[in-house]
Amino acid sequence: AFLLPYFRTRTFVGEDSRLTGGILVDHDNEVFQSSAEETHLDFALRYSNTIGDLGIGLSWFSGTSREPDLFRLFDPHTLSTTPYYALIDQFGVDLQLTTDAWLFKLEAIQRDHSDSQTEDFAAATIGSEYTFVGIFGSVYDLGALVEYSWAQRDQNASSLFQNDIFVGARLVLNDISDSQLLFGFAQDLDESSSHSVFVEAATRLNSKLTATIELRYFDSDDPRDLLFRFRNDSFVQVGLELYF
């Protein structure tokens, strides 16, 4: 059980930063449904248990949404918006079934708003992963992933994945450097031109230094699609992380 007397509003990237989606967010002038603003008293509950191979989680949250509405106060002339933090009641469930090399997952929410101008909605993601252990007689493990994501608000959803299928794979080398490679492809089932690709890889160079690489590619031809705003934000990022 959680009692939440305060929260910090989200900080968004600036006009010249990557992954803005072409929208400038004025996060210095937030609007709150509650007159208490950040100090509205919020509540949350979570129950979790394991029954055999099935893991179960149930949750409930009541208070100011941590995800601001960026469409309500959007100015199409300046392509800028002011975040609006609504009061919500959100119920959630997450299930995970582990059996042999298979892993099945479900995450779903129902979000209700006390503000009649904001639409209530449900959303869910269901997926599975199968791990091939010791592929080709090696010590490497290969996991095949598939997920389907759905949001009730369809094109009005704040998520990129309102009716999308994702396929991917995770390669684990099981070496002393903890080398891993994760890659995937997501396709919008409503718009054939809307898809994205990502690749993430990491390996330890020594006891303190880790090398990483990340690739994100976005593509969409439909201006009504959320992903369309990120079509020029594809990138490759290489990094070195020092631990001390």
Side-chain angles (χ1 to χ4, degrees):
F2 299 87
L3 181 65
L4 309 169
Y6 180 85
F7 86 101
R8 181 178 63 83
T9 56
R10 286 182 56 180
T11 299
F12 294 87
V13 296
E15 184 177 9
D16 298 325
S17 300
R18 192 171 55 233
L19 299 180
T20 62
I23 298 178
L24 182 62
V25 181
D26 183 6
H27 52 75
D28 292 326
N29 295 289
E30 301 96 343
V31 176
F32 296 84
Q33 180 181 348
S34 169
S35 59
E37 300 185 342
E38 299 103 318
T39 59
H40 182 272
L41 193 59
D42 303 334
F43 306 89
L45 293 173
R46 176 170 171 81
Y47 167 80
S48 60
N49 201 353
T50 302
I51 304 174
D53 295 331
L54 181 64
I56 302 174
L58 301 173
S59 62
W60 168 73
F61 171 84
S62 180
T64 300
S65 174
R66 269 50 178 170
E67 178 189 5
D69 186 340
L70 299 180
F71 297 97
R72 178 170 177 145
L73 303 177
F74 176 70
D75 186 343
H77 301 291
T78 61
L79 294 181
S80 63
T81 186
T82 300
Y84 176 75
Y85 289 88
L87 293 174
I88 65 169
D89 281 285
Q90 179 170 301
F91 302 88
V93 58
D94 53 271
L95 304 174
Q96 177 174 301
L97 177 63
T98 306
T99 170
D100 296 325
W102 283 98
L103 185 67
F104 300 93
K105 287 186 176 183
L106 167 68
E107 297 182 7
I109 63 166
Q110 170 66 43
R111 182 178 297 177
D112 297 326
H113 298 81
S114 61
D115 185 347
S116 60
Q117 297 185 45
T118 307
E119 181 183 4
D120 299 338
F121 70 92
T125 296
I126 186 170
S128 65
E129 178 177 354
Y130 184 84
T131 301
F132 299 90
V133 179
I135 57 173
F136 307 120
S138 68
V139 297
Y140 305 158
D141 295 340
L142 179 65
L145 304 94
V146 60
E147 288 184 352
Y148 171 70
S149 299
W150 167 84
Q152 188 177 12
R153 294 182 295 177
D154 196 33
Q155 295 299 331
N156 293 324
S158 58
S159 168
L160 294 173
F161 308 107
Q162 88 292 348
N163 184 26
D164 295 64
I165 189 76
F166 165 85
V167 292
R170 178 187 292 107
L171 179 64
V172 181
L173 301 189
N174 292 316
D175 57 356
I176 195 171
S177 299
D178 193 24
S179 304
Q180 298 187 37
L181 173 67
L182 176 65
F183 56 94
F185 173 82
Q187 174 64 53
D188 191 321
L189 300 180
D190 293 325
E191 176 55 55
S192 60
S193 71
S194 179
H195 46 262
S196 60
V197 178
F198 79 88
V199 178
E200 297 177 359
T203 186
R204 283 202 304 265
L205 301 179
N206 54 44
S207 60
K208 294 184 178 181
L209 199 61
T210 296
T212 63
I213 184 170
E214 179 181 358
L215 178 149
R216 302 277 174 173
Y217 172 75
F218 311 102
D219 189 28
S220 177
D221 295 333
D222 186 356
R224 299 170 301 174
D225 182 23
L226 277 178
L227 193 63
F228 182 81
R229 301 169 183 168
F230 297 92
R231 68 194 184 282
N232 296 321
D233 284 356
S234 301
F235 67 91
V236 176
Q237 179 173 289
V238 179
L240 290 175
E241 299 177 359
L242 178 66
Y243 298 86
F244 55 91

